[in-house]
Amino acid sequence: MTPSIDRRTLLGGALGGAAAFGLAACGAPTLSVPEQAATGTARRGATLRIARPAASAAEMLDPASSLSAYEYLGALYNRLVRLNREGETVPDLATDWSSNADATVWDFRLRSGVRFHDGKRLTARDVRYTFEHILDPDTASPQAGALSIVAGIDAVDETSVRFRLTTPNAEFPSLLTAYQCYVIPEDSADTIGHTGIGTGPFILESYTPAGAGAVRANDDYFDGRATLDRIEFYSIQDTSARVNALLSRQVDLLSQTNLDNPTARVVANSAGTTVARVTNAQWYTIPMLATSEEFADPRMRQAMKLAYDPPAIVSTALQGTGTAGWDNPVPPELAAHLDVQREYDPEKARSILKQIGREGFSTRIYTSAYEPNFTAIAVAFADQVKQAGIDLRITNVAADSYYTQVWMSEPLMVSYWFTGQPVDQLLNQIFRTGSSYNESAWSNPQFDQLLDAARADTNDITRRQKYQDAQQLVIDDGADLTPVFGDRLVGLSEDVVNYDEYGFEFDYLALGLKED
């Protein structure tokens, strides 16, 4: 059965459109939301209804190439290993793992007795097939680049799989925590996008790309049965329509939806609904294009950093729902985070600008409605740097062209990423010279060498120090500002209990609706 929502009720909603947003913002007090969702005993046999943005009509359930079906993937599949909130790699389908002396060969041992939803037993051949599928150029997996160091994969026996690498990598297991690395059955590439057959806590009932779908509890899940019986997913593209669906009690939870502060206030103050924080879930950046005339000079980039105070951005743009970034891209929750506050000195910034002939520097800072906090961050940042004599002109661009025409093209903009990446992948994908995700086009040979040295270092303590040294280089010389890590503000029913999310992945075993 495919779930449905009455369109008239949905679009007519309780929010009342733009007027409600505007009224909530006028003279509003500092936003106050719960630190976490309610916890408690969930009732058995319940159905949870989740609203999510409508994906492309081409979006399928093949984890290797999926771009946004996070909710389905987490319900249907498991990975070899996963990442905890401290950035540490912990077991999932693999119970333990080890490497040879130089970290070029990695062996993983699988749980015994795990079965796919069709009853087939999980073996090392399924794992080998999964990663060969990811690495197949025809799959076009976003994770293929990160895993390009894999020279070969061997199914040693039924429960042992071996990865042979081209170069040493002591952090290799962390690369297997990406959501593209969910394990699928052997020889299933042609059908997995429709069947969703995995080993996860839920089994696919129905799925329509850009439409509705549903999953039901897997009674034989190796880690215990979920509390919920069923989850229904509704695809609703417009954010205000998703909020209206929540306020009118047609859905219980909004996924992939970071509420802006005025909307969060409406939801928090409405009967039957509330807001939960996912702490530091949004990593906001202001990339200064290092290849542009404006920011090629590292002294100019230094002046931009000295000119603004990150805690002030948290206070004004996010109304306190976040953490100051201090231009360090590694979130404070990760064990490898370098806890340092760089200098804040607008007068020193002004002096540097004078030295390099950039007094009264003026340029555009691009923003968009693509993400609800972009413009607030741009305005707060522009206001801060005025103290150093820097004039930034706020320039809004349509959401549908922001990441195709502005990102990695214009000298200065507001951008963001989701946290939840392991430190090695974060630093390599977004800051290494030549990476396709290097949004500031920054290049620093010393930084690249540090990352190579860290991967080759099998000592946990000295390897962590190398990653922290790399963070210091980003802070001192990098072209990507990190003003803040923002809390994701999630709208949900007051009936929802045990909601916990990390990188858009829910704790599906605990999640439920409270007892009557």
Side-chain angles (χ1 to χ4, degrees), residues 210-455:
V215 296
R216 70 176 188 276
N218 177 6
D219 292 333
D220 299 319
Y221 185 53
F222 65 84
D223 204 22
R225 189 190 188 281
T227 301
L228 291 167
D229 270 6
R230 195 165 182 267
I231 303 174
E232 297 176 352
F233 299 104
Y234 301 95
S235 293
I236 306 172
Q237 186 60 24
D238 183 69
T239 300
S240 62
R242 286 198 296 279
V243 174
N244 280 333
L246 175 66
L247 294 175
S248 60
R249 311 302 295 274
Q250 295 198 64
V251 299
D252 305 300
L253 175 65
L254 304 184
S255 180
Q256 297 189 50
T257 306
N258 183 27
L259 302 178
D260 60 27
N261 289 319
T263 309
R265 187 174 288 107
V266 171
V267 172
N269 292 328
S270 295
T273 59
T274 188
V275 173
R277 294 190 195 206
V278 183
T279 304
N280 294 339
Q282 310 279 117
W283 164 31
Y284 292 102
T285 64
I286 301 179
M288 302 177 287
L289 198 61
T291 53
S292 68
E293 180 182 353
E294 290 86 346
F295 299 111
D297 189 335
R299 296 171 297 176
M300 183 66 217
R301 302 197 298 265
Q302 181 188 13
M304 292 289 283
K305 295 173 184 178
L306 289 167
Y308 86 99
D309 181 29
I313 307 293
V314 175
S315 176
T316 56
L318 301 184
Q319 296 185 26
T321 57
T323 302
W326 293 104
D327 300 325
N328 183 355
V330 177
E333 288 77 16
L334 296 194
H337 170 75
L338 177 65
D339 187 9
V340 62
Q341 292 186 7
R342 57 131 179 95
E343 189 179 6
Y344 164 55
D345 190 338
E347 287 305 314
K348 185 175 181 179
R350 186 186 291 270
S351 176
I352 292 173
L353 293 173
K354 184 176 182 179
Q355 292 171 20
I356 63 176
R358 293 281 186 92
E359 286 182 286
F361 175 77
S362 179
T363 191
R364 296 176 182 271
I365 181 168
Y366 287 85
T367 181
S368 170
Y370 186 95
E371 203 279 342
N373 290 317
F374 277 2
T375 299
I377 290 171
V379 170
F381 181 73
D383 186 61
Q384 281 278 303
V385 299
K386 284 179 183 177
Q387 302 170 86
I390 297 171
D391 173 41
L392 298 183
R393 304 186 303 279
I394 309 296
T395 305
N396 275 283
V397 175
D400 59 2
S401 61
Y402 193 61
Y403 275 96
T404 57
Q405 298 180 16
V406 174
W407 189 58
M408 299 180 71
S409 296
E410 296 295 343
L412 194 68
M413 67 175 291
V414 183
S415 185
Y416 82 123
W417 304 83
F418 302 133
T419 58
Q421 296 185 70
V423 65
D424 179 82
Q425 184 162 334
L426 185 160
L427 294 175
N428 274 281
Q429 282 196 336
I430 302 173
F431 295 93
R432 181 183 278 275
T433 300
S435 169
S436 59
Y437 293 100
N438 185 338
E439 63 181 359
S440 67
W442 178 60
S443 178
N444 184 305
Q446 183 183 358
F447 175 84
D448 297 343
Q449 291 164 10
L450 267 173
L451 295 186
D452 291 337
R455 285 183 161 183

Side-chain angles (χ1 to χ4, degrees), residues 13 49 95 148 150 164 180 190 271 339 382 414 457-458 491 493 514:
R49 302 162 300 171
T95 57
S148 61
V150 175
R164 292 174 281 109
Q180 292 92 357
D190 291 340
D339 187 9
V414 183
D457 190 344
T458 57
S493 165
K514 68 182 180 182

Side-chain angles (χ1 to χ4, degrees), residues 458-489:
T458 57
N459 181 287
D460 291 345
I461 296 174
T462 54
R463 183 171 68 255
R464 179 179 297 180
Q465 183 61 56
K466 290 179 175 67
Y467 285 124
Q468 292 180 336
D469 291 345
Q471 291 168 58
Q472 189 67 60
L473 275 178
V474 172
I475 294 167
D476 293 342
D477 182 64
D480 222 338
L481 305 177
T482 295
V484 294
F485 294 97
D487 298 344
R488 185 178 300 129
L489 303 181

